[in-house]
Amino acid sequence: AGSYSCSVWFEVSQHTGRVHLHGAADGSRALAASVHPSELGADADVASLPPAFAKPGVLNAAKIFVGQWQALRAIDRYRLSHSVLQPPLEDTLEALPKGSKKAFSTQRYTALEDLAAPLPPGASLRKVRLVARGLGSAKEYELPFLDGQWLCAICTEALDPLRQAAGGELQIGSKAELFCSKRCFEEAASCGTSREIRREMRALEGGRCQECGLDCIGLVQRLAAFRPSKLLPTGGALQQ
C-alpha cells in the first residue's frame, strides 16, 4: 500500500463514490476537488486530474487511500462514507464507537426499543395504537412522552401532535408517525423488515458475494433464462 505522510484528508460520497479532498480533519476546509477512484489507477493521467490532486504528495496519498478504501468490506465502507478520513483506515474503524446496534447486531431483526436512544430525564413510555386500513387488528407501540410532548421512537426528538381518539386513546394511521424524520424511519425499517434488509444489502454490496466476488445478481439472471426442462432431464432426476 505504501507509507503515508500528507496533510490532506479524503471523503467518499455514499451516493456517487467520488473521492473529495479536504485541507482539515474536521471538514471545514473542503478543497472543491474530487475524482472517481478509477482515475487514480497505476496509469493515472495526471494532466486530467484536478490540480489539487495532481500534486505529487497528494496524488500518492490519494492512491494509498483509494487502495485501502477498496479493500474494505461493503459494510465498513458504508460506516465510513461521508466521514473525513486519512489512512490507515483500519485504525479509523477500530476507533469507531462500539455502541451502534445497527452496525454490530448479529440478529436478523432488531426490535424498535433496542434501536431507541436513552430516554431523556423525566420522560416516560406511553402506549400508542396503530390503526390502519388493511392491517387487521390494531398494533401497539410505546413512545417516549415528556412535558406534554410525544418524542421520536428512535432519537427522542419532538414529534408533531398525535391524534387523540374517543376515550383519550392515542392513535396513529401510519407507522411513519412514530418517527421525526425519514432518516429515523429508514433506520427502523432496515432493521425490522426483510424487504428493507435485502434492499439495503443490495445497495451496499451490489449483489456480489463478499467472500469470492461472485456476481450473484448476474447468476440469477442467467439462470432465469433457462426453462426448467433445460435444467433437469425428463423425469426430474439429476444426471451424475
Side-chain angles (χ1 to χ4, degrees):
S3 59
Y4 182 87
S5 177
C6 195
S7 57
V8 292
W9 289 258
F10 305 94
E11 177 185 8
V12 180
S13 168
Q14 180 182 339
H15 304 292
T16 67
R18 293 185 67 84
V19 179
H20 297 263
L21 195 62
H22 290 267
D26 61 1
S28 61
R29 289 185 55 217
L31 299 181
S34 70
V35 296
H36 191 273
S38 62
E39 300 176 64
L40 296 174
D43 56 349
D45 181 5
V46 178
S48 67
L49 296 175
F53 273 95
K55 297 176 181 178
V58 175
L59 180 58
N60 181 58
K63 288 182 176 181
I64 292 172
F65 172 82
V66 167
Q68 294 186 10
W69 178 266
Q70 293 179 334
L72 294 176
R73 298 181 305 156
I75 187 63
D76 290 332
R77 290 196 296 270
Y78 173 77
R79 291 164 62 200
L80 293 180
S81 61
H82 291 306
S83 298
V84 179
L85 306 163
Q86 274 189 340
L89 298 184
E90 287 294 335
D91 290 353
T92 306
L93 284 171
E94 285 296 318
L96 287 178
K98 299 297 191 258
S100 172
K101 298 182 179 69
K102 181 177 179 182
F104 291 95
S105 174
T106 57
Q107 302 177 32
R108 186 171 186 181
Y109 304 115
T110 304
L112 190 59
E113 56 267 25
D114 291 334
L115 292 171
L119 286 178
S124 61
L125 292 174
R126 298 193 181 183
K127 292 188 182 299
V128 175
R129 285 167 60 86
L130 171 60
V131 181
R133 182 180 300 175
L135 185 61
S137 59
K139 290 188 176 182
E140 284 193 346
Y141 296 92
E142 289 188 327
L143 268 185
F145 187 83
L146 177 64
D147 297 333
Q149 178 71 62
W150 294 94
L151 309 178
C152 175
I154 295 291
C155 70
T156 70
E157 290 292 323
L159 293 174
D160 293 332
L162 302 183
R163 297 190 301 274
Q164 189 163 338
E169 181 181 73
L170 271 296
Q171 291 186 357
I172 55 176
S174 166
K175 192 173 180 180
E177 294 180 59
L178 297 171
F179 311 101
C180 67
S181 64
K182 182 181 178 182
R183 179 177 181 177
C184 286
F185 173 76
E186 289 182 344
E187 179 172 354
S190 67
C191 292
T193 68
S194 57
R195 181 176 65 180
E196 281 297 316
I197 291 171
R198 289 195 297 271
R199 182 193 65 79
E200 189 165 316
M201 291 306 297
R202 178 167 178 167
L204 282 174
E205 300 178 350
R208 289 191 174 274
C209 174
Q210 297 301 289
E211 291 294 328
C212 68
L214 175 67
D215 180 3
C216 299
I217 294 175
L219 175 62
V220 170
Q221 291 172 342
R222 291 193 294 274
L223 289 175
F226 289 94
R227 297 176 183 175
S229 60
K230 292 184 178 180
L231 295 175
L232 293 175
T234 303
L238 289 172
Q239 295 179 341
Q240 300 295 323

